Each structure stands twice: as C-alpha cells, then as structure tokens.
C-alpha cells in the first residue's frame, strides 16, 4: 500500500508540474502564430514524459522490473520515438484544422462539438494502451494476459480522464482569454492532481491486470478520482456558465442603456439626422428634420434623398454618397428645398452604417447654416463695403486704386464732399441724412456708369476712381454729369432740398504715384473748391501744396504767438443811430508778427478755427477784453457793452460757459455788459445745442448777438427760434445803400422784423452819411463802421470816447 501511495504521489508531482508548465506556456503564446511550431514541439516533449515514464514508474512500484541503466535507456529511447510521433500527430491535427494547437481568443470563442473531444480522447487513450502493451510484451518481454473487459474498462477510464482534462484546459483558456478571469494556481493544481491520480491509477490498473489480474484497491482509486474529476469539471463549467451569464446580463444592460442613449441622442438632437439605405431612400429621420424641411414623418420617408436636394446639387451629392459607401466619412455643404419651396443651406457630415462588417446604409447629420452663412456673407461684404450705401469702403477702394496703379495707366481720383450736409442732418434728422446719402449714391452711379468705381469714405465724403478715362477732359465731362444730376431736387421727409457738392481732382501719375498721395492732393483740391464758394470742383495744383506748407508754417508760428502773447486787442465803437452815443465796442484781435509784421486776422483766424488753437486763442481774447473793460470802467465810468467774437468750436466747448463766468467774476465785470457774438453757421449746424447754450448764457445775464446775419442759408424763422439780443447785418448789404434797391429792401425788412421780435439791430460797415441817414430813417438801433471810427488800440479808444462825448456836449 505504501508503494502504491508513493507511486501516486510521484505521478502527481510529475503530471501537475507538466500541466502547470503547459498552462503557462499556452497562455504566454496564445494567438502568436510565430511560436506555434515551438509550442507543438513543447507538447510533444510533454507527451514524451507522461506517456512512457508513468508506465515505467508503475512497473517499478510493482517490482516487475528493476531500476537500471538498461531500463532507463529503453524508456528514454521510447520517449524519443513518442516525441517524434506526437509532434507529427500534432502538426497533422493543426493542419487539418479540427483542433487548433496554439489557442487564441478567436479560436477559443469558436463552438466545438463533444464528439471532437471524445474522438481525440479515444485516440490518445488507444495510443497509450497500445504503447503499454508494446512496452510490456516487446520491450520488457513480460508475459501478459489479455482480457477484453479489462482493456475496455481501462480504455473508458483513460478516455474519460483525458476528455475531462481537455475540457478543463479549454475552459481555463476561456477564463484567461475571453473572460479576463484568472484562475488561481491552487485551483488549477487541484484539477491537475485529481487528473494525475485518475490517469496514474488507470495506467497502474491496466498494467497490473495484464500481469497479475485486477487490483481492487487501484480500481476504487481510479473510479473515485475519475468521479471526483467529473464532478469538479462539471462544477467548474457550471460556475463558468453562471459567470458568463452574469457578463451577458451586464452586457445586455449596457446595450440597453446605450440603445436608450442613442435613441435619446437621435430623437432630441437639435441637428437633423437622416438615415439612408444604399439606394438613397430615407429610412428614418429624427424630429429636427420635420422643423427643418416642413414635412411630416410620413411625407419625408416617401422620398429619396435626391428628391429633396436642390437640383444643382443632385449630381455632386450622388458622387459624395458613392465615396461614403467605399468607406470615407465626408463633411460637406449642400442645399435642400423645404416644403414651402425655401432653399435651406445645410452643413452635413455623412458616414457609413456598418453591421457585422457589412455596409448597410448611410448616416447623415446636418445643421441649418442658412442664417449663419447669410451673416457670414454680410460680414464679408461689410469688410469691403459701406453698410449704408453698399459702396466700396475705405479698405476696398485703397486696394482698387492700388491695383489700378500697378496697371500704370492714366486714371483720376475725385474726392467729393456734400456741402452743408450737417445742416440737413440737424434740421431733418439722421434718418433723412441717411436717405440723402443713398439718393446721392444712386445719382453718382447713374452719372459715372461703368467709367469707374465709387466709395464712401465716411460721413458725407465720397471717393470716385475714374479708371475708364484717357484724359482730363473726359474727367471734367463726368463731373459735369454729376453736377447736373445733383441739381435735380431731392425729396426728404416731405420737403424739397437742393444740394451742392465740392469736388477735388487728382490725376495719376501726374499728381501722385501712390494711393495716399493721390487722396491727399484730391483733398487739397476739394478744400480749395470749398474755399472758392462750394458747389464747384478744383484740380490739384502744386500751389495748393505750397499753401498747405504755408499753413503748416503758420500753424507752428501761431502756437508760439499764443505762448508768447504776440497779440493785441483793437476796439471798434458802436454808436446809437438815435443820439450817436457810444453804446458798445467790439473787441478785434490783431497779430504783430516779430518778423512778418502785421498779419491779417483773415489769414490766421481760419487756421486757428480748423485746429484746437482757437480755444486757447479765444480764452486769451476773453480774459484780455474783460480785463481792459474792467480798467475802463474803473477809470472813466464807461457805460457801454463790449462785444467778443466767439468761434463755433469754442462756443460748443463744454468748458466755455464755466470759463466765461469765472473770468467775469475775476475781473468784476457785470454779465449784462458782455455781448457774445456767434456766427450764423453755428446756429445752422448745431441748432439744438446752440439754443441750449444761449439759454444758459441768457439766464446768467449775458447778451447774445448773431454776427454777419443774412450771409448764410438761414431762413428768417431762425429769429423766432433763437433768444437773441441783437443781430448784425453784414456789411455786404450796407455797402451799396441807398442805391441798391434789393439790399435796401432786405435791410429795411430785417430791421422791421427784428424790432417786432424785440431784437436790436446793428449795421456794420457804415462808411458815409447817406448810409447813416437811411439806417436812421429805418430806425436801426446801432451803427458800426469807418464813418465813426476804425478799430483802434485800447488807449486810443479811451481818447476817442472822451473826444466824442465832448463833441456831443457842445
């Protein structure tokens, strides 16, 4: 019995060790074709150990043979033969394909029938039993007793053991390769120990029955171990099936969740989703398609995709779908026609639908980008066009002029400014101003036709580039056409308006060889046209550049003059037409240049008004005039008022009123003694703001006069709108009195209207007795001019004051 136990123990050690090594090697080389032949050789070597050495150990334990060099040599010799035989057999099995020697995930997943395992088990069992019979009879020449029942019995036991171990190996690989479940070393070793006992006891039982007869102890061991092996195998397989069932349930739950997620994604996706078959038929759509196309589910699914496409897109989409069927995933834009016949712009992505490695349809996800593309086109348009008029903008005309320069051929640039456009904007509102700009654009297009390009640079400024002309005469003819078009009446807000344009012309290449120089010279010419009285055009001349340089020089000199106070105020008296008393004095600035001598206000005042220098200069005038008036009052008890001319820019400056009031307080001058003279153009171009400021000044006690009345474009209604204290009739109306009947009528009418409105009238430029007599008869309030006195320095004004008063007293 001890020998038997020792035999089983040794067999278990050998078999368990070999089977564990096999498990390790099989797992390490699973699916690696490169190692398949080496694995088969390894299996053949395992067979060469188990098949010959277990029977050899059995014979030793039975003491049928002795442990000797000869017996070991014979066993090793047979082991070599078995290695070769096993390797060839395994190669044949692998080649035939019934059994895959090197396991992989794909092979393990393939279904195998029970007959295959039974057949393999039977073949292996038959081979082992035949080998043992050959070993006993031919190799060791041992007398044996053949018994059919014993052979059949041993064959069944051995086949069952091999079948069980084969199935265990299969399921161990399923755990490792498919289920990613690792069986513990101890657990697999238990399987291998039971198999070892069953296998070794069956071999022992078969050998002993051939030599001595049936051994009941070993029979019991063999049957018990085989039964245990069956039970363990079945239990393990059941456990594995339960685990797999759990995995399947888990996968089913995941699939169910994914299906619900997909359905939610499909149903509630804001993008339109189309599912097509390979023929282009619509098989399913999500609800977003209904709002996109206007069709119901029943209606849309009756169509093929090409039936809702815009006709020009049909062929292109057919080609794209063909590419998608080949395997491409494509993004593209297309157009479809909705139910209401509107064209809808779609941005789409299409891809294959694959089921079991087979293309079954096409999946299309689309976004409505109609509005988005319209906005983008609008943005692209506005990048190079004016939003209001649709004309080219500054950036675009720069590029066009630059391209024209590259052609190196004659062309003209015309800078156009709408005269007194601000007046229309202020009187009729910005909407009317915008309408006017659109109408001007239409007339410019009509006049220019295809002779060039038009751009709006901003505000009321246009630039025309005449590219299809060959000389200056053609340019002038087109300008005349423009002027003729502009002479026609414009109708704005129910009112008739007439406008004029000031235009400046520069020619390429004569007046400039780059965009900036051409525009600069056209701008100079345009300002020359404005200076000449508007409603005109002017060509660039080099003298304009010289004038510009002169202006720049004067500007620098004017800045120095303000800093160094090179100015002096002169005063021209204003007399009452009734009693000839001095009722006021107008402060007039004079500039005594250090090197140039006397500089006319007509030269430097317009330049100061174009820049911010007028504000600095204006502040100096206010302070100087108030200081001088304060000195007069203290010295001679002067009762007249003092008039100070204020430029539009200074008047509109937010700091003007606070500065004036601060200065009045500083020099202790009564506000009612100050007369602020504003221009007619200020009233016209900034009506609302001007009225507001006049009201503030009036509330403080300051007098307000409108200077040069009648020279602009104002109507008499302005007298009722503005709370004025007086108006000054321009000397151009006074000069020809009393002989010029129209001027006489105008002056007389203005005096009458002003008197009825409670506004005083000052006539400037009075130079003779006849003019004075007329104005006296018409009851003009104040007289100013050379008849009485030219503008004089402050000291001379006091002398004039004293002398005049003395003469009146005689």
């Amino acid at each position: 019995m001890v020998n038997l136990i020792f035999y089983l123990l040794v067999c278990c050690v050998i078999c368990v060790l070999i089977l564990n090594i096999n498990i390790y090697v099989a797992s390490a080389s699973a699916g690696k074709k490169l190692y398949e032949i080496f694995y088969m050789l390894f299996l053949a070597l395992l067979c060469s150990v188990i098949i010959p050495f277990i029977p050899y150990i059995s014979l030793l334990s039975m003491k049928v043979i002795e442990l000797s060099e000869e017996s070991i040599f014979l066993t090793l010799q047979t082991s070599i033969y078995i290695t070769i035989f096993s390797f060839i057999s395994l190669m044949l099995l692998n080649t035939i394909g019934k059994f895959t020697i090197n396991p992989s995930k794909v092979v393990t997943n393939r279904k195998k029938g029970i007959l295959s395992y039974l057949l393999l088990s039977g073949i292996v069992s038959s081979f082992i039993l035949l080998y043992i019979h050959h070993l006993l009879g031919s190799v060791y020449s041992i007398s044996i007793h053949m018994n059919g029942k014993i052979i059949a019995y041993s064959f069944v036991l051995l086949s069952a053991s091999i079948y069980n171990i084969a199935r265990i190996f299969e399921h161990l690989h399923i755990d490792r390769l498919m289920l990613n479940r690792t069986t513990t070393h101890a657990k697999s070793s238990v399987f291998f120990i039971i198999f070892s006992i069953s296998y070794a006891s069956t071999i022992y039982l078969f050998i002993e029955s051939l030599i001595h007869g049936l051994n009941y102890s070993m029979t019991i061991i063999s049957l018990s171990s085989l039964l245990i092996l069956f039970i363990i195998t079945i239990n393990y397989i059941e456990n594995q099936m339960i685990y797999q069932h759990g995995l399947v349930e888990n996968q089913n739950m995941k699939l169910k969740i994914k299906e619900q997620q997909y359905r939610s994604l499909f149903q509630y996706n804001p993008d339109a989703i189309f599912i097509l078959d390979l023929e282009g038929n619509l098989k399913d759509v999500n609800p977003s398609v209904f709002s996109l196309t206007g069709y119901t589910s029943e209606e849309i699914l009756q169509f093929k995709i090409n039936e809702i496409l815009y006709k020009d897109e049909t062929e292109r989409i057919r080609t794209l779908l063909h590419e998608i069927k080949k395997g491409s995933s494509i993004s593209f834009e297309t157009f479809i026609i909705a139910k209401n016949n509107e064209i809808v712009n779609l941005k789409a992505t299409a891809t294959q639908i694959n089921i079991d490695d087979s293309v079954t349809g096409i999946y299309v996800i689309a976004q409505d980008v109609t509005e988005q593309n319209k906005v983008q086109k609008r943005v692209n348009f506005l990048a190079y066009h004016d939003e209001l008029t649709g004309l080219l903008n500054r950036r675009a005309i720069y590029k066009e002029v630059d391209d024209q320069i590259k052609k190196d051929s004659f062309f003209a640039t015309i800078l156009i400014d709408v005269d007194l456009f601000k007046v229309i904007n202020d009187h009729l509102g910005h909407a009317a101003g915008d309408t006017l700009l659109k109408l001007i654009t239409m007339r410019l297009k009509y006049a220019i036709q295809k002779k060039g390009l038009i751009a709006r640079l901003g505000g009321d400024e246009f630039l025309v580039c005449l590219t299809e002309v060959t000389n200056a005469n053609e340019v002038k003819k087109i300008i005349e056409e423009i002027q003729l078009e502009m002479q026609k009446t414009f109708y704005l807000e129910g009112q008739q308006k007439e406008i004029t344009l000031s235009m400046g012309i520069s020619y390429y290449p004569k007046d400039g060889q780059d965009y900036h120089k051409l525009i600069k010279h056209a701008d100079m010419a345009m300002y020359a046209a404005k200076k000449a009285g508007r409603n005109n055009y002017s060509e660039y001349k080099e003298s304009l550049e010289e004038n510009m340089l002169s202006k720049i020089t004067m500007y620098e000199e004017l800045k120095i003059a303000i800093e160094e106070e090179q100015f002096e105020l002169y005063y021209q008296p204003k007399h009452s037409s009734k009693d000839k008393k001095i009722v006021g004095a107008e402060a007039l600035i004079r500039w005594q240049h250090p090197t140039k001598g006397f500089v006319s206000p007509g030269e430097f005042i317009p330049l100061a008004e174009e820049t911010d220098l007028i504000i600095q200069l204006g502040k100096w005038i206010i302070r100087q005039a108030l200081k001088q008036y304060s000195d007069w009052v203290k010295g001679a008890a002067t009762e007249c008022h003092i008039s100070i001319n204020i430029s539009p820019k200074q008047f509109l400056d937010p700091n003007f009123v606070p500065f004036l009031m601060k200065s009045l307080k500083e020099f202790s001058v009564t506000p009612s003694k100050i007369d602020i003279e504003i221009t007619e153009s200020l009233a016209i171009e900034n009506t609302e703001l001007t009225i507001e400021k006049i009201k503030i000044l009036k509330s403080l006690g300051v007098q307000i006069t409108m200077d040069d009345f009648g020279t602009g474009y104002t109507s008499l209604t302005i007298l009722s709108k503005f709370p004025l204290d007086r108006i000054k009739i321009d000397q151009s109306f006074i000069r020809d009195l009393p002989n010029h009947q129209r001027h006489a009528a105008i002056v007389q009418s203005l005096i009458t209207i002003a008197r009825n409105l409670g506004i005083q009238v000052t006539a400037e430029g009075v130079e003779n007795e006849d003019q004075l007599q007329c104005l006296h008869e018409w009851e003009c309030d104040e007289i100013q001019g050379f008849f009485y006195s030219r503008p004089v320095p402050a000291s001379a004004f006091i002398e004039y004051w004293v002398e005049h008063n003395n003469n009146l007293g005689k």
Side-chain angles (χ1 to χ4, degrees):
M1 189 67 182
V2 174
N3 288 340
L4 182 60
I5 294 172
F6 181 75
Y7 161 74
L8 291 174
L9 184 62
V10 171
C11 290
C12 282
V13 170
I14 294 171
C15 289
V16 169
L17 180 63
I18 289 172
L19 291 172
N20 272 317
I21 291 172
N22 181 39
I23 281 289
Y24 172 76
V25 173
S27 299
S29 62
K32 299 176 181 176
K33 293 185 178 180
L34 182 64
Y35 301 118
E36 196 162 279
I37 190 167
F38 298 106
Y39 181 64
M40 285 187 282
L41 180 61
F42 171 74
L43 287 178
L45 289 171
L46 294 185
C47 291
S48 70
V49 174
I50 292 177
I51 293 175
F53 278 95
I54 297 300
Y56 178 69
I57 296 170
S58 298
L59 291 171
L60 289 174
S61 66
M62 293 178 198
K63 299 181 180 180
V64 173
I65 60 174
E66 296 293 331
L67 181 64
S68 64
E69 291 183 1
E70 183 182 0
S71 65
I72 293 173
F73 176 76
L74 287 172
T75 304
L76 289 173
Q77 189 178 37
T78 55
S79 178
I80 293 170
Y81 296 148
I82 289 172
T83 300
I84 296 170
F85 177 77
S86 298
F87 180 71
I88 294 171
S89 299
L90 291 169
M91 288 286 288
L92 288 172
L93 285 172
N94 192 60
T95 303
I96 293 170
K98 191 68 176 177
F99 296 94
T100 300
I101 302 303
N102 195 16
S104 66
K105 189 170 183 178
V106 175
V107 173
T108 305
N109 193 30
R110 192 179 299 155
K111 184 179 179 181
K112 301 184 182 70
I114 191 172
L115 291 177
S116 300
Y117 284 102
L118 289 175
L119 180 61
L120 179 63
S121 302
I123 291 171
V124 173
S125 298
S126 299
F127 174 75
I128 292 172
L129 294 178
L130 286 173
Y131 165 74
I132 292 171
H133 183 273
H134 170 75
L135 182 70
L136 294 175
S138 301
V139 177
Y140 293 113
S141 301
I142 299 172
S143 177
I144 56 177
H145 305 283
M146 296 297 294
N147 186 323
K149 290 182 180 180
I150 296 300
I151 293 171
Y153 175 75
S154 298
F155 174 78
V156 170
L157 289 179
L158 194 58
S159 297
S161 296
I162 294 170
Y163 172 83
N164 273 273
I165 199 64
R167 296 308 296 266
I168 286 172
F169 264 108
E170 177 194 25
H171 286 279
L172 285 173
H173 284 303
I174 289 173
D175 275 344
R176 290 172 183 268
L177 299 179
M178 286 186 61
L179 305 180
N180 294 319
R181 189 171 67 154
T182 304
T183 307
T184 63
H185 180 73
K187 190 173 183 179
S188 59
S189 294
V190 170
F191 296 152
F192 298 155
I193 288 169
I194 301 299
F195 166 74
S196 301
I197 294 170
S198 176
Y199 176 75
S201 61
T202 301
I203 296 297
Y204 189 96
L205 181 65
F206 179 65
I207 292 173
E208 191 170 28
S209 65
L210 290 178
I211 299 174
H212 300 123
L214 190 63
N215 186 318
Y216 290 103
S217 298
M218 190 57 77
T219 301
I220 292 170
I221 292 171
S222 177
L223 286 171
S224 300
S225 61
L226 182 62
L227 180 61
I228 293 170
L229 186 62
F230 265 117
I231 292 170
I232 290 175
T233 303
I234 291 169
N235 178 263
Y236 179 69
I237 293 172
E238 284 181 348
N239 177 268
Q240 192 183 70
M241 289 177 67
I242 291 169
Y243 182 77
Q244 289 182 4
H245 179 73
L247 289 178
V248 170
E249 287 293 320
N250 188 39
Q251 287 300 111
N252 285 340
M253 181 59 68
K254 288 180 179 178
L255 286 173
K256 186 176 181 180
I257 292 170
K258 286 183 178 179
E259 194 277 334
Q260 290 175 351
Q261 289 173 340
Y262 163 78
R263 180 53 53 184
S264 296
L265 182 65
F266 181 77
Q267 289 293 331
Y268 301 109
N269 198 317
D271 294 336
I273 301 176
F274 302 84
I275 298 178
L276 317 176
D277 63 16
L278 295 178
E279 302 302 320
N281 297 302
L282 288 166
K283 305 305 292 181
D284 198 5
V285 294
N286 72 339
S288 295
V289 173
F290 308 145
S291 58
L292 179 71
T293 63
Y295 290 108
T296 64
S297 176
E298 293 76 13
E299 290 172 334
I300 194 77
L301 294 178
Q302 301 299 316
F303 293 119
K304 283 192 170 186
I305 189 64
N306 63 319
E307 292 175 334
I308 63 171
L309 286 171
Y310 185 63
K311 61 180 180 179
D312 294 342
E313 291 286 290
T314 306
E315 191 59 37
R316 186 174 74 91
I317 299 304
R318 185 183 290 115
T319 303
L320 288 176
L321 292 179
H322 183 68
E323 292 298 318
I324 293 163
K325 291 175 189 176
K326 291 181 180 178
S328 302
S329 181
I330 299 176
S331 294
F332 57 94
E333 282 198 28
T334 188
F335 298 89
I336 64 170
I337 302 175
K339 189 175 181 180
N340 59 4
N341 288 324
E342 285 188 6
I343 297 175
V344 181
N345 188 186
L346 297 181
K347 183 177 182 181
T349 299
T351 188
Q352 290 180 345
I353 299 174
N354 283 289
I355 298 177
D356 295 332
D357 298 326
S358 177
V359 179
T360 61
I362 296 172
Y363 197 74
V364 181
I365 302 177
Q367 289 180 317
D368 183 358
V369 292
T370 308
E371 289 303 317
Q372 179 182 328
N373 283 353
K374 283 181 182 177
V375 170
Q376 188 59 48
K377 286 178 181 177
R378 182 68 177 162
V379 169
N380 294 339
F381 178 82
L382 292 179
Y384 294 96
H385 293 81
D386 174 56
E387 184 175 9
L388 178 66
T389 62
L391 296 174
L392 299 176
N393 63 11
R394 191 180 293 271
R395 179 191 298 177
I397 197 65
Y398 173 85
K399 183 178 181 303
E400 293 292 342
V401 171
D402 198 48
D403 290 344
Q404 196 65 29
I405 289 171
K406 290 174 184 176
K407 295 178 183 179
D408 199 25
S409 58
F410 176 88
F411 68 91
T413 52
I414 307 172
L415 196 63
I416 301 173
D417 186 79
V418 182
D419 296 330
L420 298 175
F421 176 75
K422 189 169 176 51
V423 176
I424 296 172
N425 245 359
D426 289 345
H427 284 194
L428 300 181
H430 289 283
D434 290 346
T435 302
L436 176 61
L437 292 174
K438 292 177 184 177
L439 294 173
I440 290 172
T441 297
M442 292 172 59
R443 296 192 185 185
L444 284 174
K445 286 180 178 179
Y446 180 80
I448 292 167
Q449 299 293 330
K450 297 181 180 180
K451 292 295 180 86
L453 305 165
I454 313 171
R456 181 184 175 215
L457 302 184
D460 60 330
E461 197 170 58
F462 296 85
L463 179 65
V464 174
C465 179
L466 294 178
T467 57
E468 304 301 319
V469 291
T470 57
N471 54 63
N473 289 332
E474 289 185 47
V475 174
K476 291 174 183 176
K477 285 181 181 178
I478 292 172
I479 287 178
E480 289 170 4
E481 286 292 328
I482 293 172
Q483 289 176 323
L484 284 173
E485 283 298 315
M486 298 305 160
Q487 285 175 7
K488 299 173 184 176
T489 303
F490 288 86
Y491 294 93
L492 301 171
E493 302 292 329
Q495 296 187 38
Q496 297 182 11
K497 289 290 178 182
E498 294 180 357
I499 69 157
T500 58
L501 304 179
S502 293
M503 293 178 274
I505 310 166
S506 62
Y507 299 104
Y508 175 85
K510 178 174 71 73
D511 298 330
Q513 297 184 10
D514 62 65
Y515 172 85
H516 297 292
K517 189 160 285 188
L518 286 168
I519 301 307
K520 174 186 172 185
H521 290 167
D523 190 47
M524 288 181 183
M526 186 264 288
Y527 273 104
K530 276 190 174 295
K531 204 168 185 180
R534 301 188 178 97
N535 191 23
N536 201 353
Y537 70 89
S538 177
E539 296 175 300
Y540 170 74
K541 297 173 185 176
E542 290 186 5
S543 59
L544 295 176
E545 188 93 44
E546 294 171 3
N547 292 339
M548 180 61 70
L549 290 173
S550 177
K551 283 177 68 174
I552 293 170
T553 303
M554 181 174 283
Y555 173 75
E556 295 299 327
E557 293 175 340
L558 188 57
K559 285 199 295 183
I560 295 171
I562 292 172
E563 291 174 5
E564 297 180 355
E565 297 187 358
Q566 297 174 6
F567 305 99
E568 181 182 0
L569 288 185
Y570 276 47
Y571 301 89
Q572 186 174 29
K574 296 194 288 184
H575 292 259
S576 169
S577 67
K578 294 179 181 178
D579 54 18
K580 299 183 182 181
K581 287 183 179 180
I582 298 173
V583 293
E586 181 180 4
L588 300 168
I589 191 168
R590 296 293 182 263
W591 180 13
Q592 191 66 34
H593 193 281
T595 57
K596 296 178 181 178
F598 176 76
V599 180
S600 170
E603 292 183 46
F604 69 85
I605 291 297
L607 178 60
E609 287 180 340
E610 290 178 19
T611 65
D612 288 335
L613 293 179
I614 193 64
I615 294 178
Q616 293 176 259
L617 190 59
K619 287 181 177 180
W620 182 86
I621 293 171
I622 290 172
R623 285 181 55 79
Q624 193 67 21
L626 293 181
K627 181 178 181 300
Q628 186 62 66
Y629 185 78
S630 177
D631 291 343
W632 286 343
V633 170
K634 291 175 184 176
T638 306
E639 292 298 327
C640 69
H641 65 265
I642 187 165
S643 297
I644 303 173
N645 290 284
I646 302 296
S647 75
K649 186 172 285 190
Q650 184 180 13
F651 188 83
L652 296 175
D653 181 41
N655 194 42
F656 169 66
V657 175
F659 177 80
L660 177 63
M661 300 315 296
K662 179 182 177 183
S663 300
L664 287 169
K665 185 176 181 181
E666 180 183 353
F667 296 108
S668 302
V669 177
T670 306
S672 61
K673 296 299 183 179
I674 300 302
D675 175 33
I676 297 298
E677 293 192 11
I678 61 174
T679 62
E680 187 179 348
S681 60
L682 172 65
I684 296 170
E685 296 178 12
N686 301 278
T687 304
E688 300 302 325
L689 185 55
T690 302
I691 292 173
E692 183 182 343
K693 283 214 169 183
I694 288 174
K695 286 180 179 178
I696 293 171
L697 291 170
K698 291 279 289 180
S699 68
L700 297 171
V702 178
Q703 298 183 57
I704 304 295
T705 294
M706 183 170 287
D707 195 11
D708 300 332
F709 191 84
T711 57
Y713 293 86
T714 53
S715 64
L716 292 175
T717 55
I718 199 168
L719 295 177
S720 63
K721 284 186 177 181
F722 289 82
L724 302 172
D725 290 285
R726 65 175 53 79
I727 60 172
K728 289 181 75 172
I729 300 176
D730 189 72
Q731 59 184 337
S732 60
F733 293 102
I734 306 300
R735 187 179 299 118
D736 297 326
L737 293 181
N739 300 322
H740 197 299
Q741 293 183 358
R742 289 187 177 181
H743 283 184
I746 291 172
V747 173
Q748 191 174 4
S749 298
L750 288 175
I751 293 171
T752 302
I753 293 169
R755 185 171 59 249
N756 291 335
L757 292 173
I759 299 173
Q760 291 188 334
V761 178
T762 302
E764 62 178 350
V766 177
E767 296 182 355
N768 55 60
E769 187 71 39
D770 292 338
Q771 293 169 348
L772 180 63
Q773 187 61 36
C774 288
L775 294 169
H776 177 73
E777 291 176 3
W778 296 336
E779 298 182 5
C780 180
D781 298 292
E782 297 174 353
I783 305 298
Q784 182 179 357
F786 290 177
F787 177 79
Y788 283 111
S789 174
R790 292 175 177 274
V792 294
S795 58
F797 180 81
I798 291 298
E799 292 175 4
Y800 175 81
W801 173 280
V802 173
E803 183 182 351
H804 183 75
N805 283 345
N806 290 337
N807 290 334
L808 285 178
K810 292 179 181 179

